[in-house]
Amino acid sequence: MNLQDDTGGLIRRARPDTTPKEPSLDIDEAVREGYRFRRRKVVLAGGAATAGVAAVAAVLALSLNTFAPVQETEGGPELPAGGPFDFDPSLAGYPSPTSATWDDVQWDLDSAARSAFGDLAVDAGFLEADALDYERPSEAAIADAMEQWGVDRDEALSELGYQDLPLQFMPWHATGNSGQVYLRGYLARDGDEEAERSSFAITAMQPGGWTAEPGPTGDVAFPQHLISDEASWTDAAPEFTKDELDDGRILMVADHGCALEAAVVYPNGSALRSSWDLDCAGQGRAMSVEDLRTAMLAMPQFDYDTSELAPVGDLLDVPAGWAPDEAWESAAAADSQATFDAATAAIDAAHPGVELLDSQPSQLHFVDDTVRRGYAADYSMPFTDTEDHPVHAAVRYHLPGGWLPGLPPEGANAEPYLLDCAGDKDDVCETTEVDGRTVATRTFGVGESHSYWVMVYDPAGWAVAFDTTYAGVIEGYGLDEIIALAASLPAPVYDPAAYERD
């Protein structure tokens, strides 16, 4: 699944006779690259399970009408005043997400969304009538769960069943400018954990990193576009409307036929966007543009903590990544095999008896709807550590595209660099040169345990990583020897001419 709110992808997948294609995700690489988030921290957005027409009729008949009606006032809902920025927020962003959450406003968002979109989602066939019959656990229950299970607040809420529920907002982030900055906000969806894709996505966008100007969504553009008015998403251009309200809000709606999307921009620089997969494949869902407009305008403006929002400054020139292509992995299988035949020979020459456990082409984690291509393998080394555990190693070749060599500047986001050094404060990151090539290392040790990440960057544009962990001392397998081993690995087999990007 995509690791961000892929509104454009949702609409594209909503087209009739369209079969979604998912590029593979190297989970080990994603974790190693710094995406160490519990499910609570990373929101997965996308499309939906189907529901029959008869079921929707039953939903409409059973609607409880328990949600507060939209309160109409002259000029629209009262809007809190928002402070101005002394820089262009569209060309600004936030630091890399960490284990800390930014969900102080979540409960108010949940309540407002249920009032604004509850009836709409039920009446249109997106949710069952009783889907929103849940209550937030009391503070006492949360505290008891935290003490009983020794977990933090988010984990306690999960244990109490208050997670991934319909119209429940959770912290959301998206990369901007190839991961050099991040967008922040909160994302709510249909809460159907059994479905491959969510049927709708509602994102409360904090200021920063996006523009109200319509354009391609879900791609590498920075700032990102809130909404699309392009014909390429469907067979015909969407019916697009834009209204500037007297209270300073801007409302945009794009009707793609079997899908709708809308966005509201607020005076304080925040925004709300939503996308809905309608009756594109016989799901029995139906929603009018006018009803969606009413719901969008019923959501009030919220103030967010923008203390970490900062202009991006000088943008790094990152080589373009690759568009996800499921067929590439099969096409690259022979090149991957040839690469690791040669790599295994080099490792075996240094440590006779090494065993190649698994290897495959790999389209690594997503960055702005692009992937990094490479080859991944795992090895069993011919020795055990001082705790009598077998020693393993991972080798990852990175083909050109979507990354920069070396280490990120101190305090900067890991992206678009391959080696994450923003992790534990006890990690030590350094660079050196071996035979004219840059080598970056990240080392970590606790007691007798050692973890080594070694990345070798070749002037031809590719890189290779050698990662290993063990306890104690292994003769001939210390950091210096591992650096020399990584630097001895041969070039990957690939066609350099294939990487000719504009």
Side-chain angles (χ1 to χ4, degrees):
M1 281 190 180
N2 214 337
L3 296 183
Q4 56 185 321
D5 174 14
D6 179 11
T7 306
L10 176 62
I11 301 296
R12 287 191 293 273
R13 287 188 296 272
R15 296 181 59 184
D17 303 320
T18 297
T19 301
K21 292 184 177 181
E22 288 291 342
S24 64
L25 176 65
D26 187 328
I27 298 298
D28 290 338
E29 184 74 13
V31 172
R32 191 173 294 113
E33 298 271 320
Y35 291 85
R36 302 179 181 88
F37 297 102
R38 297 185 303 276
R39 189 178 185 187
R40 170 72 174 159
K41 307 303 181 194
V42 178
V43 180
L44 309 179
T50 60
V53 175
V56 174
V59 168
L60 297 177
L62 294 172
S63 178
L64 300 178
N65 295 319
T66 58
F67 304 103
V70 176
Q71 298 296 324
E72 296 289 348
T73 61
E74 185 176 354
E78 182 179 352
L79 303 177
F85 298 97
D86 58 3
F87 53 85
D88 182 357
S90 68
L91 295 176
Y94 298 89
S96 176
T98 67
S99 59
T101 61
W102 51 92
D103 59 354
D104 292 340
V105 74
Q106 178 189 345
W107 310 131
D108 291 339
L109 274 173
D110 288 353
S111 176
R114 289 174 67 171
S115 293
F117 293 100
D119 279 344
L120 178 72
V122 171
D123 293 345
F126 287 88
L127 297 176
E128 298 290 339
D130 60 353
L132 296 169
D133 290 346
Y134 61 82
E135 294 183 2
R136 177 167 64 95
S138 67
E139 290 300 316
I142 296 172
D144 288 344
M146 292 172 64
E147 181 178 358
Q148 178 180 349
W149 293 309
V151 297
D152 64 19
R153 184 182 182 86
D154 287 342
E155 291 168 332
L157 286 168
S158 178
E159 294 291 342
L160 293 170
Y162 195 78
Q163 181 181 17
D164 289 336
L165 297 171
L167 287 179
Q168 180 195 39
F169 281 93
M170 293 195 295
W172 164 92
H173 69 268
T175 57
N177 192 42
S178 299
Q180 296 177 54
V181 294
Y182 284 82
L183 286 69
R184 284 185 185 176
Y186 303 86
L187 177 65
R189 52 189 184 128
D190 63 15
D192 187 349
E193 296 184 7
E194 301 300 321
E196 181 181 0
R197 298 284 181 183
S198 181
S199 57
F200 65 82
I202 304 172
T203 314
M205 307 282 293
Q206 295 188 192
W210 53 265
T211 174
E213 186 68 24
T217 56
D219 68 354
V220 297
F222 180 80
Q224 293 185 9
H225 299 280
L226 286 181
I227 192 169
S228 175
D229 59 356
E230 290 202 329
S232 59
W233 285 12
T234 55
D235 294 331
E239 295 184 15
F240 183 84
T241 59
K242 178 179 179 180
D243 298 302
E244 297 186 9
L245 283 69
D246 293 340
D247 56 27
R249 291 178 296 172
I250 300 173
L251 171 65
M252 296 173 284
V253 179
D255 183 353
H256 295 270
C258 67
L260 293 176
E261 61 172 335
V264 173
V265 179
Y266 298 100
N268 70 348
S270 66
L272 180 79
R273 69 180 178 189
S274 69
S275 51
W276 306 79
D277 178 0
L278 299 181
D279 194 19
C280 303
Q283 302 99 326
R285 298 191 285 258
M287 177 187 295
S288 72
V289 170
E290 191 56 38
D291 285 345
L292 178 57
R293 287 171 56 92
T294 300
M296 294 293 293
L297 293 177
M299 279 291 285
Q301 171 179 287
F302 284 88
D303 288 323
Y304 302 95
D305 179 6
T306 58
S307 59
E308 293 187 293
L309 180 65
V312 296
D314 295 332
L315 301 182
L316 298 175
D317 185 12
V318 182
W322 298 86
D325 181 2
E326 194 175 69
W328 176 81
E329 295 182 6
S330 296
D335 286 347
S336 176
Q337 183 62 52
T339 295
F340 287 115
D341 285 345
T344 303
I347 299 173
D348 191 71
H351 302 286
V354 68
E355 180 183 359
L356 175 62
L357 301 177
D358 179 55
S359 68
Q360 62 182 345
S362 183
Q363 297 191 90
L364 305 179
H365 67 78
F366 297 85
V367 178
D368 290 339
D369 249 12
T370 66
V371 297
R372 294 170 179 164
R373 290 182 176 175
Y375 311 136
D378 293 304
Y379 287 92
S380 176
M381 302 302 292
F383 32 73
T384 58
D385 65 13
T386 56
E387 295 182 357
D388 203 29
H389 294 145
V391 176
H392 292 82
V395 174
R396 301 288 188 269
Y397 277 94
H398 298 264
L399 301 186
W403 53 270
L404 290 175
L407 294 173
E410 184 176 355
N413 293 330
E415 295 292 349
Y417 298 90
L418 294 176
L419 197 59
D420 174 22
C421 284
D424 192 285
K425 64 181 181 180
D426 295 325
D427 290 1
V428 177
C429 295
E430 298 177 325
T431 59
T432 186
E433 293 242 342
V434 176
D435 297 330
R437 294 189 293 174
T438 298
V439 177
T441 61
R442 175 182 171 187
T443 60
F444 175 76
V446 176
E448 291 295 310
S449 297
H450 309 284
S451 293
Y452 299 126
W453 294 265
V454 177
M455 185 77 67
V456 179
Y457 302 93
D458 193 89
W462 56 270
V464 61
F466 189 99
D467 306 340
T468 190
T469 298
Y470 61 87
V473 176
I474 299 177
E475 186 176 353
Y477 199 64
L479 178 59
D480 290 342
E481 290 87 357
I482 292 172
I483 291 175
L485 177 59
S488 74
L489 295 176
V493 178
Y494 73 104
D495 180 10
Y499 187 74
E500 293 180 355
R501 312 299 295 268
D502 295 333

